[in-house]
Amino acid sequence: MGELWRRLWYLLHRRRMQRELQDEMVFHREMLERSGTPRKHFGNETLLQERSHEMWGWTWIERLGQDLRYGMRTLMRSPSFSIAAVLVLAVGIGVNVAAFGLFNMFVLKPLPVRDPDTLVRLQRSAPGTFSSSVPYPSIAFYRDHAKTLHSVMASTDRDVILEQENIPARTRFVTSNLFHELGAETGLGRVFDPDLDDPKGAPPVVMLSHTFWEQHYDSNPAVVGRVVHLNHKPATVIGVAPRNFSGLGLPHEPAFWIPLTQEPYFVEGSTVLTDTSLDGMVDMWARLEKGVSPRAAEQELLALTDELRRQSPKSVWDKERLVSEPGGYLQAVRKDDVPMIMLVGTLVLLILTVACSNLGGLMLARGVTRSHEISIRFALGASRQRIVRQLLTESLLLAAMAATAGVGMGYLCLRVFLSQVNAPPWLNPAPDWRVVLFAGATGLIASVVFGLAPALQLTAKRRSGTRSRQVLITAQIAASCVLLIVAGLLVRALHFAVSGDAGYDHEHILVVDPDLAAHGYSATTARSYLDTAQARLRQLPGVTSVGLTSMAPLGHKNVTSLGGYPFGIFVSHVEPGFFNTMGIARLNGRDFQRGDTNEVVVSESLARRVWPGEAPLGKQFLLDPSNALSEKFTVVGVVANARMMSMHDPDATELYQISDDGSLPHMVLLVRTQGKPEDLATAVRTVTSSIDTGLFPTVHRLSESFQDEVGTVEKGAMIASLMGASAVLLAAVGLLGLVAYAVSQKTREIAIRLALGAKKTHVIKAMLRQFVVPVAIGLIGGAGLAAAASQLLRRILYGVSGLDPAAYLGAIGLLTVIISFAAWVPARKALGVDAMRVLRHE
Amino acid sequence: MESTSKQSMPSGALAMLVLRVLRAGPLHGYAIAQKIHVLSNEVLEVEEGSLYPALQKILLKGWVSAEWGISETNRKVRFYKLTTAGRKQLEAELRDYDRVTEAIKAILRTA
C-alpha cells in the first residue's frame, strides 16, 4: 500500500523528481571528475535518467499521454475526416445509449422513493390464473398478520369529477401510509396520516399532484385548506405532493390523491373496502422487514393465504399464492418482455456494427494517405506494436468523442420520446453513471472493433488490404440488410394493424361507461339502470340504436382472454342488438335473444380456427377444453371479424356471450348516432347521469380510441423506419468510402490499362468484381440472419409472417440499388483520370 | 585500478550492498558507490547506470528514505537513509545470502 502511494506521489511530482535526480547525477559526475575519472565514465545521462525513472512504473502513462497528444494533433490536422468519423460513430453509439437509457430508466434506475430496494409488489397467482391485484379485505388480512412485512401499501385508480366540470380527473386512492413510507413528506401542506385520516368519520381530505396544482391552481400555495368538491362531495385540500413524487411508479400522474379508506365517501355505493370478489381488487405493495428476503416473505404469505382460505374460502383461488416482484422500480422484466428487449437490443447493436465497419473502412481509406508517415516511423525504428498502439490511440480518441456526443444524442432522443408520451415529471432522462459507463464501454469496444483491423492492415508488411476490406463490406451489408428487413417487417405489420378494417363502424359511435361496478351496483340494479338508460337514449333525436357490451371496443378494459386453446379468445358479454349497433355483419345463424344462456356467437376466424373446414353452427364448445366438466356452449351465430380488444389483434378470435349476473355491472353503453357523435355527447351524458346522480358516466367517441391506436402505431412505424434509414445511409457512406479507397489504390493500374487501350467497361468490371462476392455474401447472410430471427419476430409482429417476401425483396432490392450507386460513382471518377499524368507522376 | 571484475552485478545483489553500506549511516549516491568500491578492496565498481535505477527502486519499496543535505563540497545533495523496513529487508537478504553461499560452498567442498 505504502509503495503504491509513493508511486502515485512520484507520478504527481514527476517533474520535480526528475529535476532532483538530474541534480544528483550532476553532483555525482562532478565528484567523479574531481577524483580524476574520465567524464565518459558516466555514460549517457539521458538514458540513465530514463532508466531510473522507469523504476517509478509510470512510463506507460507518459507514453499514453504522448500518444494522446500526438493522436489529437493528427485528428486536428484533418478535421473533416475527424468530424465525419465522430458523427458516424456518434449515431451508432447514440442509438445504443438511447435504448439503454430507456431500459435503465424503466428497469435499472430505482424510483425516487426512500429505500426502493425493500419495496415489493405483490400479485396473485394460481395455476392457470393470475391477477395483478388483490381484494382489499385480503390485503388488510396480510397487513395485520405478516411479520416479514414492515408495512403494506395499496392503491387503486378511479376517475372523479372536480366541482361542476364534466371532465373526469384521474384520482389515485391510496393507503394513508403511502407518502410517509415512500419518504415524500416534503411537499406543500401535510401528507396523509393514518391516525388522522383513517378512523371512521375522519374529515374527507385530498392531496393534489404537483402537476395538477401547477396547471389548475397556478401553483397557488393558498389552495391548502380550501374546500373542493369531488363527485359533488366536499373535501379539504391538505397538501400538494412533491414535484418528483412518483407514487409507486404507475404511469400517468393522477390529479388527486385520496385515502383509500375514504373511497366509499367519494364513490357512492363503492364496496371496495369489503368486497372480496374481483370487483374489489386493488394493487398491493409492501415494504419488507430489514434483512428479510422477498422469498422468505412469500413463504410466510403462503401460510397466511391458507389461513385466509379457511376464513373466507370464496376470496382465495385453488393453490393460490402471492408472488413478489421488485416494487421500487418502474418496471420489472417479465419473461414476456424478453423477446422485445432482445429484438431492440439486436437492432441497435446492428446499427453500431454498421457504424463501426463504416468507420473501419474510412480509417483504412485514410491509411493510404498516411502510409508515407507510417513508413517513416518504421524507418525511424518504431516497432509495429508501437505504431499499432498509436493508431489505436487515435481510434480511442475518436470513440471517446463519439461516446460523449452519443450520450448527448441519447439524452435528446429520450427527452423527445418522453415529451411525446406525456411522461410524468419525475421520470428523469438525464444520463446517470450507468448510462455513462455504458456509453464508455460501447465506445471502447467500438474503437477496438473499427480500429484494430485497419491498424493491423496498415502496419502489415504486405499491404494489399483486400481481405479486410471484403470483411468490412460483408459485415456492413449483412447488418444493414437485417436492419432493413426487420424495419420493413415492422412497418408492414404496423401498416396492417391500422389499414386493416376494424370490423365495425367506429365513426358514429359514442361509448358511455357509467362504471356501475365501482358504485356497488348488483346485477338487478344494473339491469334496471341499463334498461332505463337504453330506453331514454333511444328517444334522443339522432340516435339510431343503442347496444351493450362488457368490453368497450379498443378500451383495453375488462379484457378477458380464455386459456386452454393455443390462441387467445376474447370474450365479451353483450345484449341483443349489439351487432347492429356496432355494424358488425352477421354471416350466419342468428343474433342473441332474451332468454339465451348457453348460446354463443363467434367470430369468423374463431370458427375457422376451432373447426377448420366445418360448419360451425350448432357446434358444442367447451369453455376450458382441458376440463371436460367446464361449461358447454352452443354456437348459434357467426359474425364478421371485429378487432374488439386492440387493432394489433390480427386474428380477432372473438367470442360473444349474452350478459349474465356477473357481467351486468361492468357493461358499457354504445350509442350509434346518425350525424357526428360529438354533437350528442352532452345530451348522452345528461341522460345517463340523471338516472342516478351518484354516478359520473364518462362519454367518449369510439373514433378517439381508434385514433389513439393509430397514433401509437404510426410512432412505432416511424421509429422503425428511422432506424432502417439511418442504417442504409451509414452503409451507403461507408461503401462509397471503401470503393473510393480501392480505386485510389489501383489508379496506376487503371492508368496503365487505359494507356494500353483497354476498354473502359472492362476496366470498370475488373474494378468492381472484387466487391461482388462480399456484397452477395452480405446480402445472403443478412437475409439468413433475419430469417433466423423471425421466430423471435413472430412473437412481436402481428398479421405478417416473419418471412414476409415483400420485406425481404424490398430490403435486398433497395440495398442492391444503393450499393451499385455507391460503387459506380468512384469507379466512374477513376476512368476520368489522365493516364499519362498518373504515370509521369510515378 | 584495473578492475577487470566489472562483473554485471545482479541488481538484487546491488540493492543488498547499498542497504548494507547505508547501515552505518546516511550517504549520498556518489558516496555509496565509493564506499562499495573501497570496501570491496577496489574489486567491485558500481556503475552509475545501475546505481540510480536501483536507488529509485529501493526508494519506492520504502527501504530507504531520502533527504536533502549539504555535501562535504558544500553542495545540496540527496542523502539516503536506511528505514526500519530497509533494515528488516537487509537482514532477510543477508540471511538468504548466507544460506545460499553456505550451500554452494558445501557443494564445492564435497563434489
Side-chain angles (χ1 to χ4, degrees):
Chain A
M1 198 60 213
E3 189 180 330
L4 189 68
W5 273 118
R6 277 190 292 277
R7 271 181 201 268
L8 268 177
W9 199 85
Y10 273 62
L11 177 69
L12 296 174
H13 297 87
R14 61 183 188 282
R15 270 180 220 274
R16 196 176 112 204
M17 299 308 291
Q18 255 162 10
R19 211 172 42 241
E20 289 182 358
L21 194 60
Q22 196 183 351
D23 287 350
E24 207 173 333
M25 288 183 186
V26 169
F27 170 76
H28 196 125
R29 201 174 56 217
E30 278 174 18
M31 295 300 280
L32 280 178
E33 276 163 11
R34 202 175 282 224
S35 67
T37 325
R39 191 196 159 110
K40 218 179 94 201
H41 181 91
F42 203 79
N44 182 338
E45 202 171 312
T46 318
L47 190 68
L48 191 50
Q49 278 212 22
E50 288 243 310
R51 278 189 52 202
S52 300
H53 86 242
E54 249 169 43
M55 281 296 146
W56 304 344
W58 291 115
T59 32
W60 63 271
I61 242 182
E62 287 172 8
R63 292 224 178 103
L64 184 68
Q66 285 166 9
D67 281 356
L68 284 177
R69 275 195 298 278
Y70 183 81
M72 206 66 204
R73 276 205 299 275
T74 320
L75 293 181
M76 303 261 269
R77 222 177 296 141
S78 45
S80 52
F81 164 81
S82 311
I83 290 172
V86 168
L87 280 182
V88 164
L89 194 56
V91 170
I93 295 180
V95 172
N96 276 271
V97 168
F100 177 79
L102 208 60
F103 183 74
N104 180 41
M105 210 159 56
F106 283 88
V107 178
L108 301 178
K109 212 185 206 173
L111 294 170
V113 297
R114 175 165 59 83
D115 206 3
D117 284 319
T118 60
L119 281 172
V120 287
R121 166 133 200 221
L122 294 163
Q123 297 168 317
R124 298 171 76 187
S125 166
T129 328
F130 180 84
S131 167
S132 59
S133 42
V134 189
Y136 183 77
S138 309
I139 295 183
F141 178 82
Y142 292 121
R143 177 194 63 208
D144 295 342
H145 294 90
K147 292 188 176 59
T148 50
L149 304 183
H150 177 263
S151 59
V152 170
M153 288 148 275
S155 132
T156 184
D157 276 342
R158 174 120 290 134
D159 291 351
V160 301
I161 307 284
L162 170 66
E163 312 288 359
Q164 298 307 320
E165 296 174 39
N166 277 324
I167 298 144
R170 186 183 298 273
T171 302
R172 194 155 290 157
F173 293 92
V174 296
T175 45
S176 304
N177 61 349
L178 183 87
F179 284 83
H180 179 74
E181 280 300 331
L182 301 183
E185 287 127 332
T186 53
L188 195 67
R190 72 166 177 95
V191 300
F192 300 139
D193 182 334
D195 294 336
L196 294 175
D197 304 319
D198 280 347
K200 260 203 158 55
V205 291
V206 57
M207 281 177 71
L208 307 179
S209 82
H210 202 275
T211 313
F212 190 74
W213 177 59
E214 279 174 352
Q215 289 170 356
H216 223 82
Y217 294 98
D218 292 333
S219 305
N220 180 3
V223 75
V224 174
R226 201 185 279 183
V227 171
V228 293
H229 288 80
L230 300 176
N231 282 0
H232 305 328
K233 304 284 163 76
T236 312
V237 175
I238 56 161
V240 176
R243 185 175 159 69
N244 65 346
F245 180 60
S246 62
L248 285 158
L250 296 165
H252 300 297
E253 206 182 11
F256 304 111
W257 299 88
I258 294 177
L260 187 60
T261 47
Q262 299 187 358
E263 207 219 23
Y265 168 77
F266 290 96
V267 181
E268 210 158 270
S270 165
T271 51
V272 72
L273 297 180
T274 50
D275 196 343
T276 56
S277 77
L278 288 174
D279 294 346
M281 306 237 281
V282 291
D283 298 334
M284 176 182 181
W285 281 266
R287 198 178 269 291
L288 299 172
E289 278 292 356
K290 233 185 191 138
V292 170
S293 72
R295 182 139 309 197
E298 279 180 21
Q299 278 302 321
E300 195 205 6
L301 290 172
L302 185 61
L304 287 176
T305 308
D306 291 337
E307 176 66 33
L308 188 63
R309 186 179 291 111
R310 268 191 292 281
Q311 292 186 9
S312 132
K314 269 194 190 157
S315 61
V316 183
W317 297 327
D318 259 2
K319 297 182 183 157
E320 178 182 328
R321 61 196 187 92
L322 289 188
V323 290
S324 71
E325 66 178 40
Y329 300 83
L330 193 54
Q331 186 70 262
V333 176
R334 298 208 185 87
K335 242 202 197 126
D336 299 352
D337 304 332
V338 173
M340 193 57 161
I341 293 172
M342 274 171 63
L343 176 73
V344 174
T346 317
L347 292 185
V348 294
L349 270 182
L350 280 175
I351 291 187
L352 185 62
T353 311
V354 175
C356 278
S357 32
N358 201 318
L359 205 49
L362 276 176
M363 300 288 275
L364 207 55
R366 181 163 163 270
V368 181
T369 54
R370 289 188 68 179
S371 57
H372 187 62
E373 172 207 331
I374 289 169
S375 44
I376 289 179
R377 298 184 69 190
F378 267 124
L380 287 177
S383 66
R384 182 177 181 200
Q385 188 207 356
R386 188 79 185 75
I387 295 179
V388 167
R389 205 163 60 194
Q390 172 61 45
L391 291 174
L392 271 184
T393 310
E394 279 169 37
S395 306
L396 205 65
L397 265 174
L398 283 176
M401 288 190 273
T404 314
V407 169
M409 276 184 50
Y411 173 66
L412 275 180
C413 289
L414 284 188
R415 277 284 298 271
V416 170
F417 172 76
L418 289 184
S419 66
Q420 286 285 309
V421 299
N422 289 325
W426 52 265
L427 211 52
N428 180 9
D432 61 358
W433 63 270
R434 293 184 202 90
V435 173
V436 171
L437 198 73
F438 176 84
T442 314
L444 191 71
I445 294 168
S447 71
V448 173
V449 170
F450 74 77
L452 192 58
L456 290 178
Q457 185 73 57
L458 291 174
T459 54
K461 291 251 158 55
R462 259 185 62 244
R463 251 189 278 151
S464 85
T466 314
R467 178 57 54 82
S468 53
R469 199 160 57 227
Q470 284 176 339
V471 170
L472 284 172
I473 290 176
T474 309
Q476 253 185 83
I477 303 275
S480 333
C481 193
V482 174
L483 271 167
L484 263 186
I485 290 173
V486 172
L489 284 174
L490 286 174
V491 172
R492 291 257 306 158
L494 296 173
H495 182 69
F496 174 85
V498 287
S499 69
D501 188 8
Y504 44 81
D505 174 17
H506 57 82
E507 297 284 337
H508 295 99
I509 291 175
L510 283 174
V511 181
V512 187
D513 186 359
D515 208 5
L516 300 176
H519 291 81
Y521 270 64
S522 68
T524 329
T525 51
R527 166 69 77 195
S528 91
Y529 174 90
L530 293 168
D531 284 347
T532 317
Q534 279 191 86
R536 291 201 195 163
L537 286 171
R538 282 202 188 99
Q539 280 161 14
L540 278 178
V543 170
T544 51
S545 79
V546 180
L548 287 174
T549 175
S550 61
M551 193 164 106
L554 305 178
H556 301 277
K557 187 202 161 200
N558 291 336
V559 174
T560 343
S561 160
L562 281 190
Y565 288 90
F567 46 90
I569 300 175
F570 300 100
V571 183
S572 325
H573 289 85
V574 303
E575 286 281 278
F578 164 81
F579 300 112
N580 278 341
T581 307
M582 287 290 285
I584 298 174
R586 195 166 71 243
L587 303 174
N588 220 335
R590 62 168 174 92
D591 191 359
F592 290 113
Q593 294 159 2
R594 287 250 159 151
D596 280 346
T597 45
N598 286 343
E599 287 74 9
V600 294
V601 171
V602 297
S603 71
E604 191 189 2
S605 66
L606 178 60
R608 204 177 47 236
R609 294 195 69 162
V610 183
W611 305 282
E614 295 175 56
L617 281 188
K619 289 276 181 196
Q620 304 270 300
F621 188 76
L622 276 184
L623 201 56
D624 178 4
S626 58
N627 177 4
L629 295 175
S630 79
E631 262 186 293
K632 204 176 253 183
F633 294 112
T634 311
V635 178
V636 296
V638 179
V639 292
N641 289 338
R643 287 187 263 179
M644 293 295 281
M645 186 194 66
S646 126
M647 289 303 286
H648 287 292
D649 169 25
D651 274 345
T653 42
E654 305 284 336
L655 176 74
Y656 304 93
Q657 265 182 277
I658 198 147
S659 46
D660 56 11
D661 285 0
S663 61
L664 276 170
H666 293 280
M667 296 303 243
V668 299
L669 294 138
L670 304 162
V671 181
R672 185 175 184 133
T673 61
Q674 214 156 26
K676 283 186 187 159
E678 53 266 41
D679 297 341
L680 279 169
T682 318
V684 165
R685 188 181 293 115
T686 315
V687 166
T688 46
S689 56
S690 66
I691 303 170
D692 177 349
T693 48
L695 292 178
F696 300 91
T698 61
V699 178
H700 71 268
R701 287 180 291 132
L702 185 50
S703 48
E704 280 173 52
S705 312
F706 188 77
Q707 291 306 325
D708 283 354
E709 292 261 327
V710 174
T712 343
V713 163
E714 278 174 348
K715 273 176 207 160
M718 201 181 75
I719 291 174
S721 331
L722 266 177
M723 277 165 69
S726 55
V728 171
L729 199 73
L730 285 177
V733 171
L735 274 170
L736 216 75
L738 278 176
V739 177
Y741 162 56
V743 170
S744 72
Q745 274 200 324
K746 297 225 164 143
T747 317
R748 203 172 85 122
E749 190 188 320
I750 294 171
I752 293 175
R753 284 183 184 216
L754 287 178
L756 291 177
K759 272 193 182 156
K760 287 194 173 188
T761 42
H762 280 162
V763 178
I764 285 203
K765 265 190 201 152
M767 277 286 318
L768 296 183
R769 195 171 298 140
Q770 54 174 323
F771 293 103
V772 172
V773 174
V775 165
I777 295 178
L779 285 176
I780 295 167
L785 279 175
S790 67
Q791 274 308 101
L792 190 70
L793 285 169
R794 271 251 300 278
R795 301 210 210 158
I796 300 152
L797 298 173
Y798 303 87
V800 177
S801 135
L803 297 168
D804 185 66
Y808 279 76
L809 293 179
I812 291 175
L814 184 60
L815 266 179
T816 313
V817 170
I818 289 169
I819 292 160
S820 315
F821 182 72
W824 181 68
V825 170
R828 226 189 97 90
K829 211 173 136 199
L831 291 180
V833 295
D834 180 351
M836 285 327 288
R837 220 183 61 196
V838 171
L839 293 177
R840 216 175 284 136
H841 181 73
E842 288 286 319
Chain B
M1 279 311 231
E2 65 307 291
S3 48
T4 43
S5 57
K6 259 172 81 176
Q7 284 109 346
S8 48
M9 210 185 302
S11 66
L14 177 59
M16 181 171 76
L17 294 184
V18 171
L19 293 178
R20 176 64 186 79
V21 298
L22 286 178
R23 194 154 76 175
L27 293 172
H28 52 65
Y30 176 72
I32 293 173
Q34 282 304 107
K35 198 156 174 189
I36 291 176
H37 185 63
V38 172
L39 288 179
S40 68
N41 296 324
E42 307 197 343
V43 172
L44 295 178
E45 189 153 359
V46 183
E47 271 184 274
E48 292 74 19
S50 33
L51 176 65
Y52 284 94
L55 277 173
Q56 292 303 321
K57 191 181 158 196
I58 295 170
L59 265 173
L60 273 176
K61 293 275 182 202
W63 295 336
V64 297
S65 59
E67 56 196 51
W68 289 89
I70 304 296
S71 77
E72 51 277 26
T73 54
N74 228 5
R75 282 278 308 262
K76 231 183 116 198
V77 70
R78 185 144 58 174
F79 284 88
Y80 296 90
K81 186 178 158 191
L82 208 58
T83 61
T84 322
R87 208 170 290 275
K88 271 190 199 137
Q89 175 69 18
L90 175 62
E91 276 159 26
E93 277 188 25
L94 287 176
R95 261 198 315 276
D96 281 352
Y97 175 77
D98 283 345
R99 222 176 51 232
V100 173
T101 35
E102 280 311 313
I104 293 173
K105 274 190 206 154
I107 294 167
L108 294 179
R109 266 198 307 272
T110 54

